[in-house]
Structure formats: structure tokens, C-alpha cells
Amino acid sequence: MFSRRNGAALDDRREGPFANPRDVTPDQCLIVRLGHGANCSSVGSVVDTLFVGATVGGAILAAVCAAMKHEPVTVVRQRPAKDSTVADGADKKSEST
Amino acid sequence: MIVRFERWGAWVKTETVPALVALDRDGVRALGLDGGAVWREESHEASPPIEVHLAVTSRCGAGCEGCYLDAKADGVEPPKATIERALDALAEAGVFTVAFGGGEPTLRDDLGALAEAARARGLAPVVTTSGLGLGPRKIEQLRAFAQVNVSYDGAAEAYENVRGFDGSAAAETAIAKLAAAGIKVGVNVVLTRKTFAMTKATIRRAASLGATEVQLLRYKPQGRARSLDYLAKRLSAPQAGSLGALLRELAAEHEGRLTVRIDCALVPFLSADPELAARPKDLQRWGVLGCEAGEKLGATRVDGRVAPCSFTAVTALHVEQLASGWSREPSLAPFRAYAAAPPEPCASCTLRDVCKGGCKVVSDYATGGIGPDPECPRVRAHATSAPHAP
């Protein structure tokens, strides 16, 4: 049910029911928070991206989308379906890791 | 990358380009994933926080006069196993980033091991330090963190104005040593009425020492700073109103070399900037977060009790029950309710969905409860123009 803590990753997403993933497009990114930040008292947000031009902003979004396409996946905080039957891919995959 | 399904899609944390992305359902499907039960259920429970601030000690001998936690040299240091259980709980809840704080975290001899423990659980550990007493052994311990921020409010006079003593030389040395060691280092700069004019010089100095990120922080009335002195240290109305212009200048000056961040409590001040106030969608898109206390942000104290943020009172919830208790903890409800439906002048503000009603710590100091942030330029204008009761 929970896949991150033992270091396992869902890196088999290009097989089975989710074969042939497509590219994520920038318009599918509702929010993009860049970097880690390291403040221990209040939540910090990058603001210099508010002042970049469309070209630079687009390049940043493209880089993030490309990263999502290539990095192996680990799903966290999985919840079983309330009917408890093995459901669709996400649940099944997490159980297998 | 790490994926946490949400009703609307998923949070996705990427590593090769460090970022946290809210991806809609189509985007998640494009990755070859499906939200399964999370997408099918009609639950409207609050999701766990994406970031938690974890106090790993309340010890600190620096004695900063504005310390928001009133940390002392003889503070409490929880055992390593206690912190590890807290990390287990954060991981179970699906938290992405854990920010180690205190007290002074580097006073712990096991700090590096705790950072490794966080990484082993899939959490991104970051830490804030004063930089005081940061020798080679402690610097080596900090290598396990994704980023280290040094509290640096500027050169001598500015630093002393914020903290009551001049620790700037030690902070500057720490920044330089961390950068030389190849550790990603940023600086936290607290803005006060006397130091605001020095902000550009402070950041130039930090950048010259090797800092690659600056986070500007609003001075907040909590801990030792919850006094009348706060009224003299807080930003003036003109300073608050000019924050947007300052950020624009900083971004232009440091483009490509240093990242500029602001903390959640500074977001209300952006309402005074016509250009930014007209672009709420851009602020949302680039992940600018206002008051997320009790929503995307949580904090824990050294006793394990959870608070909406580092500055607010603790709740009855213990961090080890975070996954099951976050959505149901009654003390968190007022923060969420206010952010969801704030009164005027927040209700009609273009930045409402970003700002979430301003800093509740400041409103509590000024009015004794959760309400409009009294230092927000828009709230100030509203208070001035509103008819007064006879």
C-alpha cells in the first residue's frame, strides 16, 4: 500500500495498462514550485520567475516536464479503494513494490 | 520523482530539476499513472502538508532578541529515535520536504545522521542555521541536506538591529565555507524597518560569498518578538508597499545567479504592486504561497506537538498521528476556514487565493484572533476608508 519507504520505485510504468506514456505539457502543470528552499520557520516561494519573459518561463516549464518524463516514479500515501477490491493500475502497482 | 495523488491530480516532486509540481489528472495520465482510489472517492478532507518544519532541538545560545521560539542555551534535545519516529510519520503522511530547525540544529551531534534518515524515507531535508560555531566537522554533517540556509540579516549594523548582537562575521564565514564545500547555501534575511534600505547591499554581499538563494522574511511578533518592540521593528507602510518594486530590482540584478524567495507573510504586501496584483494566475502558477498554516504547511515542536506553522500555538495533535489526524484536528479548522472565505477587504482582493488572508500571527498579535492582516496595504487602505461606527 505504501511504496516509498523501502526505497522501491514504480519504474515499470511503461509496461502493462499504462504503456506509451505521453509528454506532460506545460498547461497540465497547475503549480510549479522551483527548488527546495531551506527556511525552517515560514514557507518560502521563488518570485524571480514572476519577472522573467515568456521564453525563459517556457524553457523552465519545458525542463520540468522533461524531468517528469524520464525520472523513475515512486508513489506515496497510497490509499486502498473503499470497496477494497484490487482496483486499477496505481493501487496494483504500489502493492507490487 | 515522487508522486502523491490528490483529488485534482497529483503533486509531483522532481529531482533532476528540483521542483514540486501540481499536475492535473490529464498530466498524471500522460505519465502513465492513475490516481485510483484517491480519484474515485468523494473525500473533501484536507490533504497532508507538503512541507513540515521540524524542531530538532530548542537549544540555542545565540540569544537573538527576536527569537520566535524563545530558544535558550539549556533547551530540550529530543533523542534521535524520537526524531526518527517523527520522520516516519512525515513519510507516512506523504510530506515532501522537512525543514530542520530549532533552536540551533547544528548543536546536535547526530544532525547528519538525521538528514540521512530523512533521505532514506524519501523526504528532502533542508536546514536553517545561524552559522555560529560552524567548524569543519559540522559542515561535513550538513552535506546530507538538500540545502542549507544561514540566517544573515546583513553586515554588522543590520544584523545587530534584527538580533541584538553582531554575529554577521560568523554568518559570513559560514556562508563562504559552506559554498566552498560545495553545499548549496542560501541566506535568510529578516526585513525590519531599519534594515529594509540595506536589503540590496545585504544580498550582494551574500551572493559574493557564494549564496545562491535568498529568502526574505517578514519580522513576526512571536516568542521574544511578541512585545511592543515589534511595532518599532516591523516594516513601515511605505516599505511594505514597495516590496514588489524591490523584488523586481533584485530579480533583474541577480538573474541566473541567485534565486529570490519571499516568505508566506510577505505575500500580502504584493497587493500594493499594481502589476503583480493584476497577475494572480501567474503567482499561482509559479507556486507563490501565502498563509498555508494548517494546509500545505505544518510544524512540530520538540515535544512532537503539531502546529499550523512555526509561529502559531501547538495543537493537541502529535506528529506521530499526522497522517490520520491532520484533516480532523479541530484547532486547524479556523485557519482553513478563514483562508477559504475571508471577509473584506480580502474577499475581493485579486490575490486572495494566493495570499490566503495574510499572516495570522500578525493579526493575532494586533487583534487577538484570526483576521485580516493589519499590515497589508490593502487592509490598511480599507481601514482608513471604512466608515466608523458612531
Side-chain angles (χ1 to χ4, degrees), chain B residues 220-251:
Chain B
K220 302 175 193 73
Q222 192 52 282
R224 291 200 283 269
R226 194 176 175 89
S227 67
L228 280 176
D229 189 47
Y230 170 76
L231 299 176
K233 281 197 167 181
R234 64 181 179 176
L235 295 183
S236 68
Q239 287 171 334
S242 67
L243 180 68
L246 173 64
L247 298 178
R248 201 171 278 110
E249 291 174 25
L250 290 173

Side-chain angles (χ1 to χ4, degrees), chain B residues 2-379:
Chain B
I2 297 170
V3 176
R4 189 177 98 182
F5 294 122
E6 302 285 348
R7 289 191 306 277
W8 38 262
W11 284 110
V12 179
K13 188 173 193 308
T14 55
E15 298 297 329
T16 50
V17 178
L20 183 62
V21 182
L23 203 58
D24 70 15
R25 288 188 179 191
D26 285 342
V28 176
R29 290 190 188 99
L31 289 173
L33 298 169
D34 184 287
V38 176
W39 287 2
R40 287 194 304 274
E41 292 173 2
E42 292 299 315
S43 168
H44 290 281
E45 289 185 347
S47 286
I50 57 176
E51 178 173 323
V52 168
H53 300 157
L54 180 67
V56 295
T57 179
S58 64
R59 290 170 60 206
C60 182
C64 300
E65 63 185 22
C67 178
Y68 65 92
L69 282 176
D70 195 19
K72 295 187 171 77
D74 60 352
V76 176
E77 187 169 295
K80 184 183 176 199
T82 301
I83 302 294
E84 288 174 335
R85 286 199 301 275
L87 294 172
D88 283 337
L90 301 187
E92 182 188 7
V95 171
F96 293 96
T97 300
V98 55
F100 284 42
E104 172 53 52
T106 61
L107 290 176
R108 289 193 70 112
D109 291 333
D110 55 6
L111 188 64
L114 288 173
E116 294 290 359
R119 285 192 181 275
R121 290 160 173 78
L123 300 160
V126 297
V127 66
T128 301
T129 175
S130 67
L132 302 175
L134 209 58
R137 187 178 59 83
K138 288 186 176 178
I139 286 176
E140 204 52 37
Q141 285 204 335
L142 294 174
R143 199 174 289 285
F145 288 91
Q147 184 171 320
V148 178
N149 270 22
V150 177
S151 299
Y152 178 66
D153 309 306
E157 183 188 349
Y159 192 106
E160 185 167 0
N161 178 265
V162 174
R163 296 178 189 271
F165 68 99
D166 179 13
S168 61
E172 290 181 355
T173 301
I175 296 164
K177 285 183 176 176
L178 287 163
I183 296 169
K184 182 173 171 52
V185 58
V187 292
N188 287 349
V189 179
V190 176
L191 304 177
T192 66
R193 189 167 304 191
K194 281 191 178 173
T195 63
F196 187 77
M198 307 173 206
T199 306
K200 287 187 207 170
T202 297
I203 295 173
R204 277 185 208 120
R205 176 69 178 148
S208 74
L209 294 166
T212 57
E213 185 168 292
V214 60
Q215 174 147 332
L216 303 178
L217 301 158
R218 186 171 166 190
Y219 191 70
K220 302 175 193 73
Q222 192 52 282
R224 291 200 283 269
R226 194 176 175 89
S227 67
L228 280 176
D229 189 47
Y230 170 76
L231 299 176
K233 281 197 167 181
R234 64 181 179 176
L235 295 183
S236 68
Q239 287 171 334
S242 67
L243 180 68
L246 173 64
L247 298 178
R248 201 171 278 110
E249 291 174 25
L250 290 173
E253 179 177 345
H254 298 282
E255 183 180 359
R257 296 183 298 276
L258 178 137
T259 303
V260 180
R261 287 177 179 264
I262 60 171
D263 83 343
C264 39
L266 286 172
V267 172
F269 298 168
L270 302 182
S271 65
D273 188 284
E275 194 264 338
L276 290 174
R279 300 165 52 205
K281 298 294 183 193
D282 287 341
L283 271 69
Q284 283 184 302
R285 184 77 178 288
W286 288 114
V288 176
L289 300 181
C291 179
E292 292 289 347
E295 297 202 64
K296 294 185 182 72
L297 174 67
T300 73
R301 301 286 159 74
V302 286
D303 63 359
R305 303 268 296 280
V306 172
C309 82
S310 296
F311 296 90
T312 50
V314 294
T315 69
L317 181 65
H318 193 277
V319 65
E320 292 178 29
Q321 279 76 51
L322 187 72
S324 59
W326 178 258
S327 64
R328 294 193 291 269
E329 169 53 43
S331 303
L332 300 174
F335 289 84
R336 296 168 183 156
Y338 186 87
E344 290 293 354
C346 300
S348 58
C349 179
T350 56
L351 297 183
R352 166 186 160 173
D353 291 339
V354 177
C355 173
K356 303 280 186 80
C359 183
K360 312 304 183 288
V361 178
V362 178
S363 75
D364 180 66
Y365 171 82
T367 68
I370 294 177
D373 186 332
E375 296 168 24
C376 167
R378 186 178 162 84
V379 174

